[in-house]
Amino acid sequence: MPSTRDLRRRIKSVKNTAQITKAMQLVAAAKMKKAQDQATQGRPYADLMNKVLVSLKEQAGENTHPFFSPGKGEKTLVVVVTSDKGLCGALNTNLLRKLTQTDFGADVEYVTIGRKGAGSLARLKKNLSADFPIKDPARFLELRTVGKFLQDRFLTGEYCRLLVAFNNFVNTVTIIPSIEQLLPINTVTLGGKRSYEGMGAGEVEDASTGPVLEYTFEPSTGEVFATILPQYVNNTLYQMVLEARASEHSSRMVAMKNATDNAKQMLKDLSLEYNKLRQAAITNELLEITTAKMALE
Amino acid sequence: MAFRLEIVTPEGRAFSDEVNDVVLPGGLGEMDVLPSHSNLVSTLVPGELRYKAKDGSTHELAIGSGFAEIQGDHVNVLTDLAISDAQIDEQAVEAALSRAQERLKDSENLGAENVAAMEAAIANSLAQLKLKRKRRTL
């Protein structure tokens, strides 16, 4: 039986924990909003790129760039985007489970973005070839570096395809671990809407349905393609990382909300017990006084 | 006669206004775009973009690689970086540059991913520095 003093101590500590988790919840909510805004701001860029890509596709024929055809090698390169920090529910676990359940063929290499994924894959003794620390909020320039690295790898011809595993943010309660192909680029969907664009899908213009505009391409269609495609890949990667970041923060927000709720419930139970104990002590004392008085009479 | 110049980067719309004239660092050399240009898509190399605002003043921006789309009375510039010269801190850029080059020197000890990062950083810093330097000599 705990004493009232023990109980008071516990109540105090639970109260503190609830305060911390509440604060973390608010911070995560603000960060999630920021990641979403960031994704929205990339929209004019994506729109313009799609518009030009569609017109390019018409004029240049499709298989003019190495990014369109699978590499000669057998290997698969998988980019795993996870969070750097924990306390975000089953987010990373779900993604890694999906990863281990998917069959990528015999020869797989991994590149990680985020500390959690790097740690887990290293523990699983997977073939980890590079790890990129990306700050939060993610900057495009940082991801361009990752994009360049991945494209260089792909162009060596060792890999037949390049996949990205990330958490797709649909809304705060629905986060879907997804694996999307980054390279080779799918010519059919090029310039169209992307399937993972959870954050405000439908707002990115689907340029593949509009009228195709005629342009003069300078220096040549081939060279314009060679400039645009790496940027297209980088931007796609950037958007995926933003999705993953939004997922992380929303997942953390939900986890922290649950923690706060649990702490509140615990506080309620503990105070009830504390009050009961206090009342019992008072009753006992009264009883003792009364018996003592009666004994004297 | 004026036309609309828009500069978009993955992180947002960096610039959007009516201008009278814009000079772009095109893949085939500098390119001056005036109103009523024919429809054109051109690659851009990292360098400086100059435009003449409606009030006649000239402004400069450092941009990264990308492309420009000219269509009707719109010029859209798509690039991964756009910084106006007021935003450039020359000393910070120089420090970044020397740091990157220093690290690139012993690139044998670095992984491929670090080398790629360094090369990109150097190209960006150089473009910014060039713009700032040029501005001063005027």
Side-chain angles (χ1 to χ4, degrees), chain A residues 47-48 51-52 55 205 211-216, chain B residues 3-5 24 33-42 68-77:
Chain A
D47 285 344
L48 177 60
K51 195 166 101 184
V52 174
S55 153
E205 277 172 44
V212 174
L213 295 155
E214 293 282 321
Y215 294 107
T216 315
Chain B
F3 56 93
R4 180 154 281 271
L5 172 67
L24 304 165
V33 179
L34 292 163
S36 315
H37 199 286
S38 67
N39 289 359
L40 173 84
V41 171
S42 170
E69 182 232 17
I70 301 162
Q71 186 222 326
D73 53 355
H74 280 265
V75 174
N76 296 315
V77 173

Side-chain angles (χ1 to χ4, degrees), chain B residues 10-66:
Chain B
E11 292 182 348
R13 216 183 287 266
F15 179 86
S16 172
D17 204 2
E18 300 278 319
V19 299
N20 285 328
D21 177 9
V22 60
V23 179
L24 304 165
L28 291 177
E30 280 211 332
M31 176 170 71
D32 198 342
V33 179
L34 292 163
S36 315
H37 199 286
S38 67
N39 289 359
L40 173 84
V41 171
S42 170
T43 57
L44 298 176
V45 293
E48 58 177 89
L49 175 152
R50 289 193 300 278
Y51 66 89
K52 207 172 271 172
K54 271 179 106 178
D55 58 14
S57 58
T58 313
H59 302 273
E60 292 171 359
L61 287 159
I63 61 167
S65 62

